DNA sequence: CCAGATTGTGGTACCGATAACACGGTGGCG
DNA sequence: CGCCACCGTGTTATCGGTACCACAATCTGG
């Protein structure tokens, strides 16, 4: 259960503050001090161009004397580019997305872009608002792990405004753009086949709503594994739940209440697994003894402390770096005519939760 | 060991791209279409003001017909405010800071500010660059967990430019501003006293460089606890190391090599603890049997999966919300004359790693 | 020795919005 | 009936840069 925030309603204090000097030096001030035109100063701060060494020296002197820093706003307005790009994820606190964001931020910074971070909390409305804001901000591109297929509307809006974007982790059927994905179907199949190889026949699946591509694809993998093993699909074993710990708990509780309950469970991601495990324990049972468990995505720090989750680990950082690189290519007008669809293989890591050996 | 990123050098593809229409509708287009002046359109999009219902209707119609979205750049330039603020942390991947960032982002968004996320990777130079960028961007305020005391220079720079900022998690001696802190000294003392109460007399401490206030304060707490128990301080038991898992491992290795090695260790934070535990295990020993361990900050998801770390958990979210709220007060000119110094108590959580009971 | 290129610099007009003021029309009130 | 307040709207200047073109001075080569 997330900590309640006792200071949510911190009492408002209304008092005057000692205003600091909003030191607003402009290019014209620099020009005046160094006895040249603003245009020449502009040339100096943008390097390049032909400026005599002597003039350049004088201008640079004036700049450092006045502590002048050019305004990105003005520059952006006039150049029609902001040097800003956005990363949108449904939950930064999910270690998978944290890694994505971190990597994206680094790539962007190296390419001299600033990053606006947006956490949609898997809420379609927040996502819409956030995207509108980004359009207003004239962000030059967006790396986004969309909330669901219904994000299509807002992505089309981005496209209308000529803002390139790259989807990561999730595709959206009608949206045609660069994409960086994991191998959800294959990975899921491998996980479930592993459970089957351990002798499990009744295998549950806790998954979020079917309008998220990863959920669909992983369900597909789950079904493929079952059918390949000649196990009939029992719809009662598929529990739909929110893609977070509380959803995982709820889903697992439902599965445990079944008459003929599963002996193993596959969860759609790491946080769902976490909640599911908590539910198993709350029911006085244990993983993997009473219920074996496998999932997608690792929880790095947890696994280092205690290698427990048998998981299909995805290269989260690569999602971030690669997604951002593809985006930068689009922004800079490079990038192939045809869209890029990169599928990154996961790494199957067997640990305790599946009960192997 | 963090995953190597195999796609760091993704091959560059150079091809033309099908350019989308950079639909650049301006306020003037809307004005033309609705047969009014740009000023009137401006009045409509900023609500308020006195505009006849009929005109407003016509303008709104034109706006939606053209799909017009006002440019934040232009607005910012003219209004002299950007509606942007920044959150700077040394490591977003640290669950503590992830929570801070997430909370800050939410508070900011609710107040209609956009957030620029900056991860300094605990590198003073990156921090300097990032802050320069923010000044250029005319960010209206900054919530920052500074790299160290040597961040003072860049913070003074911010102040010179009239950008208000709030320090979180760490103070800096000469910098006088709003601050949201944990009770490092008290918390550390409590942790170490707990170890002492369990019978430990040789207690190690793995800590980062002394120019970070939390490190100093926690050392102070460590020393206070020892001296209160009449235990002499043995400098050999204080290992300095980077504030991350690898630092923790290195530090613990050094402690384990001591002739008279500690029976318990206190680490300055969660990630250091993680590395320290790995080092203990690598040495063929176990926590808490061979070495008891306590630390600052929890790793939430890890602890839910496996309640192991005995820790002083800090209310990370509150650091974020409160820090951002204080910042917003400053920005809006409210906020007390005298600086705010908020100290949030941590929660002492006893689990396995200390070997209690 | 002069046409033509090159170099360093300045002038002007924007980028897209808003602040501040101006102005014609309506209605209330003495 | 005329003055004034107010309403709705337009005009102009400006925010802080840069693109584009102009222009004088110097350099090149035939």
């Amino acid at each position: 259960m997330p900590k309640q925030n006792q200071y949510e309603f911190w009492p408002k204090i209304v008092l005057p503050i000692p205003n600091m000097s909003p030191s607003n030096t402009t290019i014209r001030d620099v020009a005046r001090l160094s006895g040249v035109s603003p245009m020449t100063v502009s040339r100096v701060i943008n390097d390049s161009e032909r400026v005599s060494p002597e003039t350049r020296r004088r201008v640079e002197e004036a700049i450092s004397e006045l502590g002048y820093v050019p305004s990105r706003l003005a520059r952006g307005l006039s150049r029609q580019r902001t040097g800003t790009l956005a990363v949108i994820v449904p939950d930064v606190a999910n270690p998978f997305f944290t890694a994505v964001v971190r990597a994206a931020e680094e790539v962007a910074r190296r390419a001299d872009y600033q990053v606006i971070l947006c956490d949609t909390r898997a809420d379609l409305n927040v996502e819409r608002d956030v995207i509108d804001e980004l359009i207003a901000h004239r962000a030059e591109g967006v790396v986004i792990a969309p909330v669901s297929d219904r994000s299509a509307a807002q992505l089309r809006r981005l496209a209308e405004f000529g803002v390139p974007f790259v989807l990561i982790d999730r595709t959206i059927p009608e949206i045609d753009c660069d994409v960086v994905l994991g191998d959800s179907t294959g990975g899921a199949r491998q996980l479930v086949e592993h459970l089957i190889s351990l002798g499990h026949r009744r295998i549950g699946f806790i998954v979020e709503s079917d309008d998220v591509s990863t959920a669909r694809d992983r369900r597909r993998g789950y079904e493929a594994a079952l059918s390949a093993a000649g196990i009939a699909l029992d719809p009662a074993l598929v529990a739909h739940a929110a893609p977070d710990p509380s959803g995982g708990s709820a889903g697992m509780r439902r599965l445990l209440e079944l008459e003929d309950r599963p002996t193993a469970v596959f969860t759609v991601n790491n946080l769902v697994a976490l909640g599911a495990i908590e539910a198993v324990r709350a029911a006085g049972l244990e993983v993997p003894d009473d219920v074996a468990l496998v999932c997608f995505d690792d929880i790095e720090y947890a696994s280092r402390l205690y290698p427990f989750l048998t998981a299909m680990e995805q290269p989260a950082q690569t999602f971030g770096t690669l997604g951002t690189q593809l985006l930068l290519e689009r922004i800079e007008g490079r990038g192939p005519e045809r869209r890029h669809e990169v599928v990154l293989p996961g790494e199957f890591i067997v640990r305790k939760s599946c009960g192997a050996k």
Side-chain angles (χ1 to χ4, degrees), chain A:
Chain A
M1 196 175 337
K3 291 260 162 224
Q4 271 312 306
N5 185 342
Q6 56 187 314
Y7 287 88
E8 177 91 30
F9 301 103
W10 181 257
K12 302 294 182 212
I13 296 136
V14 185
L15 277 173
I17 78 157
N19 245 322
M20 326 191 201
S21 64
S23 152
N24 270 334
T25 318
T26 80
I27 201 170
R28 272 169 254 272
D29 300 323
V30 177
R32 203 156 20 232
L33 181 61
S34 49
V36 299
S37 77
M39 200 50 234
T40 301
V41 177
S42 173
R43 292 193 177 100
V44 171
I45 60 187
N46 291 297
D47 280 329
S48 62
E49 302 299 332
R50 318 170 293 211
V51 179
S52 79
E54 164 59 10
T55 307
R56 158 162 284 128
R57 199 192 51 69
R58 284 221 318 284
V59 171
E60 280 167 350
E61 206 169 81
I63 287 179
S64 75
E65 180 166 342
L66 294 173
Y68 165 71
V69 177
S71 157
R72 259 187 181 253
L73 283 180
R75 175 180 282 165
L77 186 59
S78 140
R79 287 219 277 236
Q80 296 288 59
R81 53 179 304 268
T82 53
T84 310
L85 83 226
V87 177
I88 307 180
V89 296
D91 177 14
V92 236
N94 181 323
F96 175 75
F97 290 118
T98 306
V100 169
V101 166
R102 195 168 194 252
E105 204 257 355
E106 173 144 24
V107 173
R109 191 164 302 286
R110 274 199 234 162
D112 266 325
Y113 280 85
Q114 268 181 116
V115 171
I116 296 185
L117 166 69
C118 306
D119 185 329
T120 58
R121 307 187 164 228
D123 181 328
L124 219 52
N125 293 319
V126 173
E127 189 176 69
R128 181 178 26 72
D129 291 350
V130 150
I131 287 183
D132 275 354
E133 274 305 302
L134 294 175
I135 291 174
H137 205 288
R138 305 296 190 256
E140 290 184 51
V142 177
V143 174
I144 177 172
V147 170
S148 79
D149 290 354
R150 287 182 298 155
S151 301
Q154 25 236 351
L155 291 177
R156 270 196 220 95
R157 207 168 144 60
L158 270 182
E160 272 168 33
F161 280 86
V163 182
F165 54 89
V166 173
L167 293 180
I168 50 175
D169 188 49
R170 302 152 178 209
T171 35
I172 293 185
E174 322 96 76
I175 300 290
D176 185 58
C177 66
D178 292 338
V179 167
V180 181
L181 298 174
D183 177 13
S184 282
T185 306
R189 178 166 178 162
Q190 200 174 341
L191 286 169
V192 176
E193 280 175 348
H194 180 68
L195 290 175
I196 293 173
S197 78
L198 293 175
H200 295 282
R201 307 287 295 177
R202 283 194 68 71
I203 300 174
F205 181 31
I206 307 179
V207 62
E208 64 191 297
S209 126
D210 225 40
D211 63 1
V212 177
S213 74
T214 45
R216 267 197 308 276
D217 292 346
R218 288 168 198 178
R219 185 171 48 67
R220 210 165 285 146
Y222 165 75
E223 291 170 0
L226 293 184
S227 105
I231 302 175
L233 178 70
D234 179 352
L237 289 178
V238 178
H240 286 274
D244 54 35
S246 68
S249 291
M252 181 58 92
R253 255 179 272 123
R254 256 174 287 138
L255 292 180
L256 293 179
E257 282 163 6
L258 290 179
E259 192 109 351
D260 188 11
R261 74 172 192 228
T263 60
V265 169
F266 162 44
T267 71
V268 79
N269 76 17
N270 50 3
L271 299 190
V272 169
L274 209 160
I277 292 171
E278 289 177 329
V280 170
R281 293 178 183 163
L285 304 173
E286 251 315 331
V287 174
D289 310 323
D290 304 294
V291 183
L293 193 137
V294 298
C295 66
F296 243 89
D297 295 333
D298 194 18
I299 304 180
E300 186 198 338
Y301 290 142
S303 293
R304 288 174 70 164
L305 191 57
Y306 179 50
F308 183 73
L309 282 179
T310 291
M312 183 59 64
E313 183 186 347
Q314 298 194 93
Q317 297 194 41
T318 309
F319 280 67
T321 51
L322 200 42
T324 309
Q325 286 178 18
L326 292 177
L327 180 64
L328 289 173
E329 285 181 7
R330 288 288 173 211
I331 290 174
E332 291 164 18
R334 300 177 292 126
E337 180 105 23
R338 183 96 188 79
R339 75 203 193 89
H340 248 317
E341 173 163 330
V342 179
V343 177
L344 302 175
E347 189 182 350
F348 180 42
I349 304 184
V350 179
R351 290 192 282 238
K352 302 204 181 85
S353 71
C354 62
K357 244 194 300 138

